[in-house]
Amino acid sequence: MSGSSGEQAPAYRSILSISDEAARVQALNEHLSTRSYVQGYSLSQADVDVFRQLSAPPADTRLFHVARWFRHMEAILGGACGRGEPCGRQASKGRRGQPQWSPPAGSPPCKLRLYNSLTRNKDVFIPQNGKKVTWYCCGPTVYDASHMGHARSYISFDILRRVLRDYFGFDVFYCMNITDIDDKIIKRARQNYLFEQYRGKQPQAAQLLEDVHAALKPFSVKLNETTDPDRKQMLERTQRAVELAAEPLEKAVRGGLPAEEAARCAEVLLEEAKDLLSDWLDSTLGSEVTDNSIFSKLPKFWEEEFHRDMETLNVLPPDVLTRVSEYVPEIVNFVQKIVDNGYGYVSNGSVYFDTVKFASSERHSYGKLVPEAVGDQKALQEGEGDLSVSADRLSEKRSPNDFALWKASKPGEPSWPCPWGKGRPGWHIECSAMASALLGASMDIHGGGFDLRFPHHDNELAQSEAYFDNDCWVRYFLHTGHLTIAGCKMSKSLKNFITIKDALQKHSARQLRLAFLMHSWKDTLDYSSNTMESALQYEKFMNEFFLNVKDILRAPVDITGRFEKWEDEESELNKSFYDKKTAVHKALCDNVDTRTVLEEMRALVGQCNLYMAARKAARRRPNRALLESIARYLTHMLKVFGAIEEESSLGFPVRGPGSSLNLESTVMPYLQVLSEFREGVRKIAREQKVPEVLQLSDALRDDILPELGVRLEDHEGLPTVVKLGDRETWLKEGQEKRRVEEEKRKKKEGAARKKQEQEAAKLAKMKISPSEMFLSETDKYSKFDENGLPTHDSEGKELSKGQAKKLKKLLEAQERLHKEYLQMVQNGSFK
């Protein structure tokens, strides 16, 4: 206490004399800062008088002395008093009021940001309707096998979709289309149909040769007109292959060979000239193909193949799948409304979008995604399709930048009735009509490959916003990056065209997904041996950790033994665990940065491995509960990414061949018994010194069990670790281990041999008498002194003093060596 209650009266009187309340409270705060008013505080009437002037503690945190004094007085007197009301002591009751509580400041939450092609920035993701996310993804044009470019896009979007749904908790409604009406499909379907018809007629050898030569003429023209060097090289290879295949048949016809031989040569030529003949047949007979069913057979087949590939890649199916052929009435209505709104016009049975009028409208903007590409005629014509860029078609447009909403069908093309005559949908209108039918006037996310930005997606935006007369048909546009093959663009002309089925022959779906996860979804991904090796090593690294944790968890322990006292090592690992989870969350908020996430997960596993190794070295058990928590978290994250396909509580599941049976839970108890039995047998064999049993035990570990997908790891003084995994992986690891051991053996043998040779050479040198060491070098020296030291070179010229001095040093060194040799002989070291 800084002073008695009597001493405080003058100060309080001075404070009470201040008329302004704010100034009075400020003065009181300064006065109280010099006093102890809690412990040992003597209450005075002056305190009561001042307290009666206050109805509540001040809100200003800087006046904390007054606030604290007020709560103390309130506790003693039993509550605040109204002005002029008497206050009585309540201290005898021993009651105190609760101090004021304030919530922690906390930290601002991390917000999810996505790279939005509409702004070319990472924008905070805000769905239009709470947690519901409406998402439309451009699907494939199904006329050929799905390739790694498709995998790049659909695996990447599958990862994004899973993260939004399973990590951030959004309710994602995911729609995707199948383009089954398109210029490429029409042309390929006609070609296939006409070629099969031609083959079915079994043309005579002479007729086949005549047709092949006829097909080669326009092909040669196309070859000469081609400027792209890679495509030109591909066409030249095709031409040469056809010419080489035609030569045997020509000889067979001229030489009158048996019919069977001629038929065999004809079949070879038919296969080699298939593309060439198909193109020629289509150019001459394509307009005669009128049956619409011919154009549906091809896309139906390839759509089924696409779905099988996606299922194998563990890509989630869409919530809704749309096909262009099933939405033709909706497309017709969509086009009609664009015309009614003044942004479309009819020309010669086709309907085109008026880009000039749309762009001049105050409400609209054309080329939102890639404004710098507007006017790129090459890109625009590619978007229109091979069958739609003839001179007559181009002349129907008001502006070269206008694009087809509806195409009048020519002979040999499928058609549907509409107000403008029979025709078929344009490419860009398909997605607009189908997506709008399901998602309305504005969707949260639209996705597709990077190469679709212009003209396809820019045209989608324009025609949809012309239909709805808005400017927000898509809120966030996401585009996946390109895929290259060993640094080159994937193309058949470069002979690096890789289908999904081809890729799955070399690597598993999980390994492909891990490769994609190790790269940003919006950047170019290079599919190469280095990329896949990184993915394989990552999978192996994570799998080893999971197997080690599973082995620890299998060790028998009572219920209370599962919970052990934490020491500094556990606290440090747990802190790192939570730090890594925070880093993972930040990375996912940052445009779903899976590359950083995988690195953080790798670092966490590395820290766990160091912790387990330290415990193993100290012959102490690691904390199973902590390791299990970490392993389950990592398993959960890999599930979120779709890298763990099945239901697995911890790590990568092990399934039986062609079965959904969980092999691990079924066979591991038996393997554990086998391991313990083997360990007991080895112990007895060592004690009784029975090497044959130890060799059999090693053979079981190294040769027999790996064939069954089982690996045993023996550790001195510790129980054997049992790991169940992929048979091929274990066998490869065994082969690699044997290869490394063999290299070590050869290296050791080589080093021993080299050492032996060096010792032999040294011994041979030691045996030479100093007086004889130079005598054999007659090509260098012609005269020697009495000690065998050279005096003249081979031409009889006397050696210089420097040369003589150098040779003398060599002679003296040899004298020492030879003396050492003689001493060894005398001691009996050599016989």
Side-chain angles (χ1 to χ4, degrees), residues 786-797:
E786 65 277 6
N787 296 320
L789 189 68
T791 57
H792 294 73
D793 63 17
S794 58
E795 296 177 355
K797 187 178 178 182

Side-chain angles (χ1 to χ4, degrees), residues 612-678:
M612 288 188 288
R615 284 300 176 114
K616 178 180 172 183
R619 297 290 190 270
R620 296 173 61 193
R621 289 185 309 179
N623 189 289
R624 56 189 288 146
L626 177 55
L627 288 174
E628 183 177 10
S629 295
I630 294 172
R632 288 188 186 279
Y633 167 75
L634 295 170
T635 301
H636 169 69
M637 291 310 303
L638 289 169
K639 278 186 183 179
V640 167
F641 295 148
I644 293 181
E645 303 88 342
E646 304 91 346
E647 285 301 318
S648 171
S649 59
L650 200 157
F652 300 129
V654 182
R655 301 288 180 185
S659 167
S660 60
L661 175 70
N662 189 324
L663 205 60
E664 191 168 24
S665 61
T666 305
V667 306
M668 191 54 78
Y670 302 98
L671 291 174
Q672 200 69 40
V673 170
L674 173 64
S675 173
E676 291 168 4
F677 175 77
R678 172 180 171 273

